[in-house]
């Protein structure tokens, strides 16, 4: 009989693309995931993973097994949902994914509140890139995700994924002290031509928004420095190396040498909670969404100063 946990490990490698990423999502070590798959290979007498450069790729037989694993995991999820629904109390493991600024600025008090009020609920946070959120929820890799979109780029809503609005995040233009725009009460987007930008790498939502917005205003942005995390971008601005557009959520106090300037109109990011339709009846999902919304006013208050 095939072991469900080993199938789950193979499924995670398929979804996340590598053993290391699968281990991070499952809360295991990479060696533990590799051991699970090695045992599954022995059980099935089949090669499931092959070397591909520095990583691995799934064999054709592994893809067939992943398809079956997806069906089995969906059955298990339905059974767990029905049991939790009958009890009427949030319980069991709940995997939550959030993009970095939400993981830093919103999730800590939410998770602490859930742990205090529902000791039977084991909520676990994974930080992910926001553009991956919908896909990970849809594939069953996470139970619930906190994602965002921009005012000019709505969040995709595929069949089988539900979402609920949490709130709105405001964003400011950050410039070095002494910059030509420092001290302004507001700046129009049409005034941003010729600036040197620090931004997240291509493919990230913030990078795409910056390019689309400035091009719509008639400017081709010059991105001179790229970094994944907002604190790094703020540090680059503080060093006088460029300007940046940074959301207020999870930003923290600005260091000396950095001035925030409101854009007119001000960019807005909308936050959502996403989950699979099949898990909508699960009390853990409903309670987590309610708690996210309950804590949002306290998080949003200093942003909307």
């Amino acid at each position: 009989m095939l072991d469900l946990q080993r199938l789950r490990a193979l499924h995670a490698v398929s979804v996340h693309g590598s053993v290391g990423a699968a281990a991070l999502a499952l809360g295991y070590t990479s060696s533990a995931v590799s051991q699970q798959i090695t045992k599954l290979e022995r059980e099935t007498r089949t090669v499931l993973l092959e070397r591909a450069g520095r990583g691995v790729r799934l064999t054709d037989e592994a893809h067939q097994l992943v398809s079956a694993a997806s069906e089995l995991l969906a059955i298990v999820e339905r059974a767990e949902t029905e049991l939790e629904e009958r009890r009427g109390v949030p319980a069991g493991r709940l995997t939550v994914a959030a993009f970095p600024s939400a993981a830093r600025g919103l999730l800590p008090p939410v998770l602490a509140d859930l742990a205090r009020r529902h000791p039977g609920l084991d909520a676990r946070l994974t930080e992910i890139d926001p553009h991956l959120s919908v896909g990970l929820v849809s594939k069953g890799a996470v139970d619930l995700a906190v994602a965002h979109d921009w005012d000019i780029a709505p969040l995709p809503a595929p069949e089988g994924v539900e979402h609920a609005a949490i709130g709105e995040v405001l964003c400011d233009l950050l410039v070095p002290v002494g910059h030509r725009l420092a001290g302004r009460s507001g700046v129009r987007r049409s005034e941003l031509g010729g600036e040197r930008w620090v931004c997240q790498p291509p493919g990230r939502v913030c990078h795409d928004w910056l390019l689309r917005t400035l091009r719509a205003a008639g400017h081709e942005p010059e991105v001179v420095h790229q970094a994944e995390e907002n604190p790094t971008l703020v540090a680059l601005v503080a060093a006088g190396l460029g300007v940046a557009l940074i959301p207020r959520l999870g930003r923290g106090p600005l260091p000396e040498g950095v001035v925030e300037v409101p854009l007119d109109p001000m960019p807005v990011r909308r936050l959502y909670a996403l989950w699979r339709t099949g898990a909508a009846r699960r009390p853990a999902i409903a309670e987590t969404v309610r708690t996210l919304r309950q804590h949002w006013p306290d998080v949003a208050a200093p942003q909307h100063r």
Side-chain angles (χ1 to χ4, degrees), residues 277-295:
T277 301
R281 304 190 321 272
R282 188 178 174 190
I285 296 289
E287 180 63 8
T288 301
V289 173
R290 188 192 69 79
T291 305
L292 285 165
R293 286 174 153 176
Q294 181 182 28
H295 280 263

Side-chain angles (χ1 to χ4, degrees), residues 91-105:
R93 180 176 294 189
L94 182 78
T95 54
V96 180
F99 59 95
S101 56
R104 180 172 59 251

